[in-house]
Amino acid sequence: SSRRYKNKIQTICPAVSMSLPMRGMHRLLLRNLEGGQTLTQLGQGSQRHASTMPVEKEGKVLHPDLLNQQVRETQYAVRGELYLRAEQLRKEGKEIIFTNVGNPHALGAKPLSFIRQVLSLCAAPFLLERPDVTSIFAPDAVARAKKLINAFKGGVGAYTDSRGNDYIRKEIAHFIEARDGYPANPDHIFVTDGASVAVRMCLNALIRNSTDGVLVPIPQYPLYSASISLYGGSLVPYELDESKGWGMNMETLKKAVQQARSEGKLVRGMVFINPGNPTGQCLSADNLKELIEFAVKERIVLMADEVYQENIYQDERPFVSAKKVMHDMGEPFASQLELLSFHTVSKGTSGECGLRGGYVEMTNIHPGTIEEVYKCASINLCPNTMGQIAISTMLNPPQPGDPSFEQHHKERSEELASLRRRARMVTDAFNSLEGMTCNYTEGAMYSFPQIRLPPKALEAAKALGKAGDVYYCLKLLEATGISTVPGSGFGQEAGTFHLRTTILPREEVMADFVNKFKSFHVQFMNDHR
């Protein structure tokens, strides 16, 4: 039996048996016995392996050279070399404009009043006991806070279910149903500390070893490359077409899968980001239909990164979710597509990055798999409660007739209109510069211009051991204090160079931002002719 074999392995090979669950132990045993190893040989091999690994280096057990190799190989460009240099300059007294990350409040965005009123009352429920509470806070914010406090037994300082509070998950399900016209199951929704945690949780479940591949768009958000590397999987890139507004090319996608399979990889998942990060493109319903057909045909789990669904700056392609398109297509797609959909409070008009609230909805995922993910989520006990409440206020905002509706609607509408103007301002500025082209930012929070660097700049970069776009971005940072991310951190077509900047500086300072950028670029090009 499995238990008898486990006991035997524990006796002969404690180093192998440590922390392995019964099923993992059984699989390990069978794999090695099928390979011709006896139990004794298995134990001796493990002991030899352990004896060749140093315990410490330079007096430290946790020495950088002795860390998990996957940790050492993980790269995250958004907080990489450029960010670290920017932080150093900031500490030295230089004014830095951090456009390297989509962090709206850090660049001057104001919190939505309704969200913060509800959060304040939930964090300090004694305020609800004041007789003048409705003269300080909007009556509907007071009513919402009371309802939430009642739903959070013990208040926001108590643990919730590991998937998130049941009341919050039901609100998420109602939002999804209202958006798409199809029901959602609250028990298939996991609330997490930001969407990034949900993405990593799903990738960790999906990836078994280095032969498991995940399709990721290039350019991509480094969360995906970093997480796939950390969990020991293989990133399978598929390039977006810059000449067609960063559109998807299904032939390119099919070739990427064929190439990966020819190399012995098993493609199990596919990421798409809509609207795109860093590229800002918006996918149409027809684009999504092609992706869904492809995923079902190839038996691939689709990971829909839809965190920018509120950030739309054009009218031709409004946001539509992958789940809605899947159901609209009918069978066999409605029941066969395995779909993971992500959303967050960090983006959109709420922009509450620091509150860390996000979720994943699992559609057509095996119930046993959901149980396994639930088990792993339980290791972290629960997502933070303030992030959960932020999700509630974002997805269930004031409705027409509510006391806060007019103000909330005004705040959201004005911010979206401003973002649309800023998207145009930044794109037009880049396209006015020598050697720079930029597709219009249709959605999300970023512009991703291509820079055609002169040969002298490439020679200077090479002499410093840096990629051309890293060299450009470092020079930009030193000269202007503008912190961006080089395109090499996202992946790009060979021989091209890009950078990513947010469109988040406020309109009142955007002109200064644009002028600083233009002045630097002109000088840079003149210095490297």
Side-chain angles (χ1 to χ4, degrees):
S1 70
S2 296
R3 189 171 300 279
R4 179 164 54 87
Y5 285 133
K6 180 176 182 180
N7 292 337
K8 185 72 171 176
I9 294 177
Q10 286 174 329
T11 301
I12 296 175
C13 186
V16 172
S17 68
M18 187 177 297
S19 299
L20 281 178
M22 184 70 72
R23 282 174 295 178
M25 189 70 66
H26 197 190
R27 286 196 295 267
L28 175 67
L29 172 71
L30 291 176
R31 186 164 62 245
N32 284 278
L33 291 181
E34 287 169 359
Q37 284 186 282
T38 66
L39 286 174
T40 301
Q41 289 171 332
L42 177 62
Q44 291 172 343
S46 172
Q47 291 161 4
R48 282 195 302 271
H49 177 67
S51 66
T52 61
M53 300 179 69
V55 173
E56 62 178 279
K57 185 174 181 179
E58 298 175 351
K60 296 293 183 182
V61 174
L62 205 60
H63 188 280
D65 292 347
L66 305 183
L67 296 179
N68 181 329
Q69 190 61 27
Q70 288 162 196
V71 170
R72 299 187 64 198
E73 292 173 357
T74 299
Q75 301 291 327
Y76 187 66
V78 174
R79 295 289 178 97
E81 179 183 2
L82 267 294
Y83 172 77
L84 296 176
R85 177 57 181 156
E87 273 293 294
Q88 182 181 355
L89 290 172
R90 182 186 64 81
K91 292 175 182 177
E92 293 172 1
K94 188 177 182 67
E95 182 182 353
I96 304 297
I97 305 174
F98 284 100
T99 68
N100 60 300
V101 64
N103 193 8
H105 292 184
L107 288 170
K110 301 299 183 186
L112 297 178
S113 300
F114 180 77
I115 291 179
R116 287 302 181 90
Q117 288 186 47
V118 175
L119 285 165
S120 299
L121 290 165
C122 289
F126 54 83
L127 293 173
L128 294 168
E129 300 172 8
R130 292 176 57 110
D132 61 347
V133 64
T134 53
S135 66
I136 304 172
F137 298 92
D140 51 341
V142 171
R144 175 67 65 83
K146 288 180 177 179
K147 188 174 289 186
L148 287 165
I149 289 170
N150 185 60
F152 280 74
K153 303 304 179 185
V156 296
Y159 289 135
T160 70
D161 186 280
S162 298
R163 294 168 297 185
N165 182 280
D166 181 62
Y167 180 86
I168 302 298
R169 287 186 287 114
K170 287 178 179 177
E171 282 194 303
I172 296 171
H174 290 154
F175 161 79
I176 294 169
E177 183 171 357
R179 182 194 65 190
D180 297 339
Y182 299 100
N185 186 340
D187 290 337
H188 296 172
I189 293 169
F190 287 76
V191 182
T192 53
D193 291 336
S196 296
V197 173
V199 168
R200 295 200 306 272
M201 181 173 67
C202 292
L203 285 172
N204 194 23
L206 182 70
I207 295 169
R208 300 165 299 180
N209 53 50
S210 60
T211 63
D212 285 341
V214 180
L215 286 157
V216 176
I218 300 298
Q220 54 100 23
Y221 178 43
L223 163 68
Y224 294 100
S225 55
S227 300
I228 291 167
S229 174
L230 186 62
Y231 298 135
S234 295
L235 186 147
V236 180
Y238 66 95
E239 290 190 348
L240 304 177
D241 190 342
E242 185 172 11
S243 67
K244 296 181 179 178
W246 297 111
M248 281 192 177
N249 184 314
M250 294 307 296
E251 288 305 313
T252 299
L253 192 55
K254 292 172 185 176
K255 288 179 181 177
V257 173
Q258 292 168 358
Q259 177 66 29
R261 288 173 176 166
S262 71
E263 296 170 356
K265 293 183 175 63
L266 180 61
V267 180
R268 285 169 56 81
M270 176 182 171
V271 174
F272 74 91
I273 308 173
N274 181 37
N277 176 12
T279 49
Q281 86 283 10
C282 295
L283 298 181
S284 67
D286 287 340
N287 295 147
L288 293 172
K289 285 178 183 178
E290 289 183 308
L291 285 178
I292 291 166
E293 290 172 349
F294 175 78
V296 170
K297 179 182 178 182
E298 301 294 339
R299 307 308 303 142
I300 292 172
V301 177
L302 204 55
M303 300 180 69
D305 185 334
E306 298 173 336
V307 301
Y308 296 100
Q309 57 189 262
E310 189 183 1
N311 296 96
I312 305 295
Y313 313 128
Q314 43 74 41
D315 301 318
E316 292 75 26
R317 287 180 302 285
F319 173 79
V320 59
S321 74
K323 182 180 179 181
K324 175 176 172 51
V325 174
M326 176 196 77
H327 280 296
D328 286 349
M329 291 171 70
E331 296 298 343
F333 308 103
S335 62
Q336 290 189 14
L337 177 68
E338 295 176 67
L339 177 65
L340 302 167
S341 304
F342 305 93
H343 197 14
T344 183
V345 299
S346 298
K347 310 307 176 185
T349 54
S350 54
E352 295 281 8
C353 299
L355 292 180
R356 310 312 299 138
Y359 70 82
V360 57
E361 182 195 14
M362 299 183 171
T363 305
N364 294 327
I365 303 299
H366 193 288
T369 297
I370 294 175
E371 289 178 9
E372 294 291 336
V373 174
Y374 190 8
K375 174 190 67 179
C376 292
S378 300
I379 296 170
N380 291 326
L381 297 178
C382 78
N384 85 85
T385 53
M386 297 305 280
Q388 295 187 56
I389 290 171
I391 291 173
S392 166
T393 56
M394 177 183 74
L395 301 185
N396 185 12
Q399 299 301 307
D402 291 345
S404 297
F405 175 76
E406 293 298 333
Q407 181 181 11
H408 188 75
H409 179 72
K410 181 174 181 288
E411 290 174 354
R412 288 187 63 251
S413 299
E414 288 180 352
E415 182 64 12
L416 284 173
S418 174
L419 283 165
R420 183 179 287 221
R421 290 192 294 271
R422 282 178 270 167
R424 175 57 66 188
M425 193 183 306
V426 172
T427 304
D428 288 348
F430 286 144
N431 284 324
S432 71
L433 296 174
E434 176 191 359
M436 190 173 282
T437 55
C438 186
N439 285 308
Y440 176 62
T441 300
E442 299 176 343
M445 294 179 170
Y446 315 98
S447 285
F448 196 66
Q450 181 178 159
I451 316 162
R452 286 179 288 280
L453 296 171
K456 189 176 177 181
L458 295 177
E459 291 169 7
K462 185 177 180 180
L464 294 172
K466 299 187 183 299
D469 48 8
V470 173
Y471 175 75
Y472 181 93
C473 291
L474 281 169
K475 288 290 188 181
L476 173 67
L477 173 63
E478 299 282 351
T480 67
I482 297 174
S483 176
T484 58
V485 187
S488 50
F490 300 92
Q492 54 197 348
E493 184 180 352
T496 66
F497 299 100
H498 300 77
L499 65 82
R500 188 192 80 167
T501 178
T502 71
I503 59 168
L504 295 176
R506 308 307 294 171
E507 281 189 87
E508 56 268 23
V509 300
M510 183 63 85
D512 182 54
F513 169 84
V514 167
N515 287 335
K516 281 184 176 181
F517 201 109
K518 283 184 172 181
S519 297
F520 163 78
H521 184 80
V522 170
Q523 187 64 50
F524 179 91
M525 297 299 282
N526 288 335
D527 289 345
H528 294 85
R529 292 194 188 282

